[in-house]
Amino acid sequence: MTTFQIVVLALIQGLTEFLPISSSAHLILPSILLDWPDQGLAFDLVLNIGTLGAVLIYFRRDIGRMCGAWCYSLKTKQQTPDSKLTWWILYATLPAAVIGFLGKDLVEMYLRSGYVIAVTTLVFGLLLGWADFRAKRIKTEHQTGFKGAMIIGFAQVLALIPGTSRSGITITAALMLGLTREAAARFSFLMSVPIIAMASGYDLLKFILSEQSVDWQGLLIGAGVSFISAILCIHVFLIILNKMGMLPFVIYRVLLAALLFYVLS
């Protein structure tokens, strides 16, 4: 890939990973419209590391406090709101981790098509709008509960289908459970830490076992661009969320789905 392609793809990944608009729906466009080559395993890995670093830095205080409370709960057997939240997020990660590990190859083989991405972009975008419109929006992330966390966790499994959007489907489920918009987004962002970490570990293992040549300069550029753009994306998303809700993202998903159907027809 050229440096320009690396920067564009890293920007797409960083800007769409945490927005409820589906990164896979955007990453497919350059290959369809511009006939760009597949970025490869190593590039996917560094993009994931970049976005993981972004959420760790942005929520460093929350994550540090939660990790401290979780470790304290292991030692004393006493639970605090932060330790409970940490446990809920860890449990909620298990469904996607297990099903993703077992079904990743099947998804890659049968569901990674342009039409599937177009349909899921549209359907789950409308579902997000419905959830936002009907939501009670009264709970914080600390009021999710174990049952609620597992519902969000199983919803995250649907994100294995390209075009669904991991953040989109988890925020949708959280809104349906009565969380506020900000709490739903925060829970989704915090959930991204273990799932992206596991996906990165899996890709790292595959990369070590492969014999791919490595463009280290390109990888560093990709990681840096995805890291910076993801931090900016999280910050701007939370601002938009408090002012306008999910409507801008729902409209965007509908228009993006229409574009995908048009270019694929």
Side-chain angles (χ1 to χ4, degrees):
M1 292 188 295
T2 67
T3 301
F4 176 73
Q5 291 172 336
I6 289 171
V7 170
V8 170
L9 292 173
L11 276 173
I12 292 174
Q13 177 71 20
L15 293 175
T16 60
E17 176 67 29
F18 298 113
L19 293 181
I21 57 176
S22 174
S23 58
S24 58
H26 290 78
L27 288 170
I28 195 177
L29 287 174
S31 62
I32 292 177
L33 299 177
L34 304 173
D35 196 28
W36 284 10
D38 180 77
Q39 57 262 38
L41 179 61
F43 194 68
D44 286 340
L45 174 61
V46 298
L47 292 188
N48 279 332
I49 292 174
T51 52
L52 176 61
V55 74
L56 287 173
I57 293 297
Y58 196 89
F59 292 102
R60 60 191 180 278
R61 293 186 180 87
D62 301 81
I63 293 172
R65 188 177 64 249
M66 290 167 59
C67 288
W70 183 73
C71 291
Y72 182 76
S73 72
L74 291 177
K75 181 179 179 180
T76 64
K77 307 300 182 182
Q78 296 178 352
Q79 299 295 332
T80 67
D82 281 327
S83 67
K84 290 180 181 179
L85 179 60
T86 307
W87 280 114
W88 296 338
I89 287 173
L90 292 175
Y91 287 132
T93 303
L94 293 176
V98 174
I99 297 175
F101 178 77
L102 296 176
K104 182 177 176 62
D105 291 338
L106 292 176
V107 171
E108 293 287 338
M109 187 180 301
Y110 296 109
L111 297 179
R112 199 169 182 83
S113 73
Y115 283 107
V116 169
I117 292 175
V119 170
T120 52
T121 296
L122 176 62
V123 171
F124 289 110
L126 294 174
L127 183 62
L128 173 64
W130 179 83
D132 189 44
F133 178 73
R134 296 294 301 272
K136 295 180 179 179
R137 300 197 294 269
I138 56 176
K139 296 180 181 179
T140 69
E141 63 268 31
H142 289 93
Q143 296 173 295
T144 305
F146 173 76
K147 181 180 178 180
M150 292 308 297
I151 291 173
I152 299 172
F154 278 102
Q156 185 171 234
V157 174
L158 294 173
L160 295 171
I161 305 173
T164 301
S165 171
R166 192 208 63 81
S167 63
I169 195 63
T170 52
I171 290 174
T172 297
L175 289 171
M176 288 180 175
L177 291 169
L179 272 69
T180 66
R181 288 167 175 161
E182 184 175 358
R186 287 171 63 83
F187 195 91
S188 175
F189 289 145
L190 293 171
M191 275 185 72
S192 73
V193 173
I195 200 69
I196 294 178
M198 282 189 285
S200 298
Y202 178 74
D203 285 345
L204 178 61
L205 179 61
K206 288 175 62 178
F207 174 69
I208 292 172
L209 296 176
S210 71
E211 296 181 356
Q212 292 185 7
S213 59
V214 177
D215 174 13
W216 291 108
Q217 181 179 354
L219 295 182
L220 289 174
I221 292 172
V225 171
S226 65
F227 171 76
I228 294 171
S229 58
I231 284 185
L232 293 174
C233 171
I234 294 171
H235 183 69
V236 172
F237 174 60
L238 292 174
I239 293 174
I240 294 174
L241 193 63
N242 287 325
K243 292 185 176 180
M244 292 183 283
M246 294 295 176
L247 183 59
F249 305 103
V250 175
I251 294 173
Y252 181 85
R253 286 186 69 131
V254 171
L255 294 176
L256 177 61
L259 175 61
L260 286 171
F261 280 122
Y262 174 76
V263 299
L264 291 167
S265 62

